[in-house]
Amino acid sequence: MSHNLRSGLWDTSPLYQNAVLDLDMAGKKMGLDSNVLERLRMPKKAMCVSIPVRMDDGSVKTFEGYRVQHSTTLGPGKGGIRFHPEVNLSEVSALAMLMTMKCSLVGLPLGGAKGGIRVDPAQLSRAEHQALTRRFTMEIISMIGPEQDIPAPDIGTDAQHMAWMMDTYSMAKGHAVPGVVTGKPVEIGGSLGRPESTGRGVVYVIEHAIELLNKKGHKYVLKNMTAAVNGFGKVGAVAALELFNRGCKVVAVSDFFGGLYDKNGLNVPEVIEYMNQNRTLKGYEKAQVITNEDLFALPIDILIPAAIDGVITNANMKNVKAKIISEGANGPITSEAQTYLEQNGCYIIPDILANAGGVIVSYFEWVQGLQQFFWNENEVNAKLAEIMLNAFNRVAANAERYNCGMKSAALITSVERLSKAMLLRGLFP
Ligand code: GLU
């Protein structure tokens, strides 16, 4: 039987195919043990569940849910729960693989996992969200736990969902178990700085990139630069604000409805205020309306794709003019587009590095919860900044050493650590 047979189960989505392609490329460059590579191509374990929910109108609707653990070599599975109408097993598996790489890259004692429910969260009432979350938690309860696999928020979920997950799990165990999820509200054991952590990290690495590029002869100054942010949610809005606060001109932001553009720079705090009140950017009158595709094509210095995967592909890569891209979302640029953009001089800070701030502070939350000893926000931010800088430097060093882009270098850096651990632990039986 050929070992190249495709599984037919995991690898049906472009995101998964891209993730494996990227892994193969990095593996080849670094001369990775082929047995290790073989193992990493497939997740360790997946659970598919159906989730019946009594809707507000009395009818019962069933939703599809998944939890996938890609690797638990370095520690418990770790990764968010996504509520999105396009979620499927293959996509969740790819995202679990990215979590393995992310946690290994930044040196956390955690593996990689991901979960998702195929649902349009905008169509559900609060009561329906709660019922869906609680029943899902109960269905996957044998797979999760503070030492086993620790969910967190992702697209379509937030701290409230984590509170419901924690409560459901705790009810089943008979005592409060805050460590079963991260991204919880502070009142029940969440960490200060967790909501802003991903967006902050996305901007920290832009600053490191500017410093590095300037050593190579560029003359970038953040406050003289322009930026555009695709996706104005938990990651994008914070990243836009962090850039704005540093004097960078954020000329465009967008959500699922489309984008807002002002060549003189948007008033980001005001746009955030509008978003908080209206839950969409639609209707904001003090800027020009553009499409998401227009946003990608803007002549800007910095681009942050912070919405969802697969937004920059071979269909639009030639329009992208940004000099630096920091991937706020997971997998926003396809392998092909990444190669093209890097060859054309674009400096891409890859997802597993750029957006790792979220899981880093999730780790802090887990540690604080286990110790029942909580840190102030300055401490959280300082430790976050230190880990991000350290990871950035290690990736940049490998980019030099292997003469490759930051994306491959990040995977190489991640797999260097992970493969050592895999080889030391060995194969069971
Ligand atoms: N969903 C976030 C991510 O993709 C955070 C995961 C976590 O904190 O566990 O990195």
Side-chain angles (χ1 to χ4, degrees):
M1 200 174 78
S2 162
H3 286 286
N4 294 324
L5 271 187
R6 300 191 116 187
S7 75
L9 181 61
W10 320 107
D11 67 358
T12 51
S13 69
L15 193 64
Y16 195 93
Q17 290 156 11
N18 267 306
V20 173
L21 214 67
D22 291 345
L23 183 65
D24 283 350
M25 249 157 48
K28 203 167 152 192
K29 268 195 192 105
M30 69 190 284
L32 178 64
D33 184 316
S34 60
N35 291 329
V36 170
L37 183 61
E38 170 78 7
R39 178 69 194 107
L40 289 174
R41 282 205 188 101
M42 268 191 214
K44 171 185 166 67
K45 194 187 277 186
M47 190 184 265
C48 300
V49 296
S50 59
I51 314 149
V53 174
R54 188 168 310 280
M55 308 300 280
D56 292 347
D57 67 3
S59 68
V60 173
K61 265 201 185 146
T62 352
F63 299 90
E64 246 173 70
Y66 318 91
R67 184 72 188 172
V68 179
Q69 291 165 1
H70 173 263
S71 167
T72 53
T73 301
L74 293 168
K78 187 81 195 83
I81 304 278
R82 175 174 293 196
F83 284 9
H84 192 274
E86 309 285 312
V87 156
N88 58 53
L89 176 63
S90 175
E91 192 186 278
V92 174
S93 303
L95 292 165
M97 191 189 294
L98 289 181
M99 287 309 301
T100 301
M101 300 305 159
K102 200 183 296 187
C103 292
S104 174
L105 172 63
V106 295
L108 307 180
L110 296 167
K114 200 81 175 196
I117 301 180
R118 200 173 166 87
V119 62
D120 182 355
Q123 303 299 319
L124 300 185
S125 70
R126 181 184 155 90
E128 291 163 347
H129 266 276
Q130 177 163 187
L132 182 67
T133 305
R134 286 186 182 279
R135 181 64 188 254
F136 175 63
T137 307
M138 211 58 203
E139 295 296 344
I140 62 163
I141 201 159
S142 62
M143 231 174 137
I144 58 173
E147 290 167 337
Q148 211 177 333
D149 182 358
I150 308 151
D154 196 75
I155 294 172
T157 58
D158 59 21
Q160 178 61 75
H161 295 86
M162 294 308 113
W164 290 326
M165 287 195 84
M166 179 258 183
D167 185 67
T168 306
Y169 187 88
S170 301
M171 292 299 293
K173 299 293 163 189
H175 55 94
V177 188
V180 66
V181 288
T182 59
K184 299 178 292 292
V186 170
E187 293 77 1
I188 53 168
S191 175
L192 293 170
R194 174 63 184 86
E196 301 83 8
S197 55
T198 315
R200 274 188 187 136
V202 165
V203 173
Y204 292 164
V205 290
I206 291 173
E207 295 185 302
H208 304 329
I210 288 174
E211 214 179 297
L212 187 132
L213 290 169
N214 285 350
K215 280 188 196 142
K216 294 184 176 167
H218 289 275
K219 291 197 167 55
Y220 295 132
V221 180
L222 189 53
K223 65 176 174 19
N224 299 334
M225 295 169 90
T226 53
V229 182
N230 157 248
F232 206 65
K234 297 191 290 279
V235 180
V238 175
L241 185 62
E242 292 281 324
L243 286 176
F244 177 88
N245 287 341
R246 286 164 172 74
C248 173
K249 214 188 271 177
V250 180
V251 295
V253 299
S254 65
D255 67 3
F256 56 90
F257 122 86
L260 302 172
Y261 174 69
D262 183 341
K263 70 174 186 338
N264 297 316
L266 295 159
N267 181 337
V268 176
E270 204 182 282
V271 180
I272 291 178
E273 186 60 39
Y274 184 88
M275 182 66 158
N276 289 343
Q277 274 169 21
N278 300 281
R279 306 181 70 83
T280 171
L281 296 171
K282 192 174 178 177
Y284 182 80
E285 281 174 352
K286 293 192 207 156
Q288 191 185 325
V289 173
I290 58 169
T291 64
N292 269 297
E293 283 310 318
D294 294 337
L295 181 142
F296 292 127
L298 286 171
I300 40 159
D301 300 307
I302 300 164
L303 175 63
I304 301 180
I308 197 153
D309 55 87
V311 292
I312 300 175
T313 65
N314 63 359
N316 62 358
M317 63 192 184
K318 295 199 170 118
N319 304 337
V320 174
K321 298 175 190 72
K323 301 180 181 82
I324 298 173
I325 302 181
S326 186
E327 292 187 323
N330 292 313
I333 308 178
T334 62
S335 301
E336 191 186 346
Q338 171 228 318
T339 307
Y340 172 86
L341 288 168
E342 285 185 337
Q343 275 168 2
N344 283 276
C346 179
Y347 192 84
I348 302 177
I349 312 165
D351 48 9
I352 60 170
L353 173 61
N355 72 30
V359 75
I360 292 170
V361 179
S362 271
Y363 165 64
F364 296 164
E365 177 175 334
W366 182 63
V367 169
Q368 291 171 81
L370 292 175
Q371 299 182 334
Q372 288 298 307
F373 181 71
F374 293 88
W375 316 340
N376 66 40
E377 192 165 347
N378 288 339
E379 238 176 304
V380 169
N381 291 342
K383 287 193 168 79
L384 167 65
E386 189 188 320
I387 294 182
M388 295 287 299
L389 175 60
N390 187 293
F392 183 91
N393 286 338
R394 281 183 293 122
V395 175
N398 267 341
E400 292 283 334
R401 175 163 172 219
Y402 291 95
N403 189 25
C404 62
M406 288 292 275
K407 188 124 191 170
S408 289
L411 273 175
I412 290 173
T413 313
S414 168
V415 174
E416 273 173 353
R417 172 174 180 234
L418 180 62
S419 61
K420 276 185 203 147
M422 288 168 74
L423 292 168
L424 281 167
R425 284 189 57 167
L427 186 66
F428 178 85

